[in-house]
Amino acid sequence: MRTFKQQFAYVLLGVCSIVTASHAQEKAYPQYEKEKAIIFCMTREYVLQHQEEPAEEDLFPKCESRFAKLQATIPYNTYKAVRDKGYMLYKDKQSAELLEKYYSILMGNQ
């Protein structure tokens, strides 16, 4: 009987750790969101500043630091809630402000 209780406790502990790990992953930006944000940042910088002459330095570190600032400023759960609403012709004020802040950070305006 004691082994059944121990096994049950281990199974319960394992399930709790899996749920906790998946919840923790939900709070952080996934890799594809990071790549998407950095590509947006780099594309914008190269299109606006380096169409005529090549860039003298790699812009990846600059865009990566902007993403780090974005990650520290806007929690992924908040961004994901707005992103999952899909396209809205008339955005509510909170969603519009969040998206404006998101893109402002990636564009280096903040």
Side-chain angles (χ1 to χ4, degrees):
M1 188 67 170
R2 186 161 179 81
T3 59
F4 175 73
K5 287 181 181 178
Q6 286 177 340
Q7 288 176 344
F8 182 72
Y10 288 129
V11 169
L12 188 60
L13 184 62
V15 169
C16 288
S17 66
I18 290 171
V19 169
T20 304
S22 66
H23 182 65
Q25 288 175 350
E26 189 70 22
K27 290 183 179 183
Y29 281 79
Q31 185 65 27
Y32 71 90
E33 288 287 351
K34 177 181 179 179
E35 292 168 2
K36 183 177 78 170
I38 289 174
I39 289 170
F40 170 82
C41 173
M42 290 179 69
T43 302
R44 181 185 181 279
E45 291 298 317
Y46 282 113
V47 166
L48 289 179
Q49 298 178 16
H50 305 291
Q51 285 188 17
E52 308 267 331
E53 298 177 18
E56 294 179 11
E57 62 180 301
D58 184 15
L59 293 174
F60 182 78
K62 180 189 282 187
C63 290
E64 200 170 34
S65 69
R66 287 181 187 174
F67 177 76
K69 181 178 180 180
L70 170 74
Q71 202 169 18
T73 306
I74 301 174
Y76 178 64
N77 290 340
T78 307
Y79 168 71
K80 185 176 183 299
V82 171
R83 187 202 65 200
D84 288 348
K85 287 181 183 178
Y87 177 77
M88 296 176 286
L89 186 58
Y90 302 105
K91 294 178 179 64
D92 59 284
K93 185 178 179 180
Q94 185 179 11
S95 296
E97 287 175 356
L98 185 116
L99 290 174
E100 183 178 329
K101 189 174 187 178
Y102 177 90
Y103 287 111
S104 181
I105 291 170
L106 289 178
M107 291 187 277
N109 298 334
Q110 282 193 349

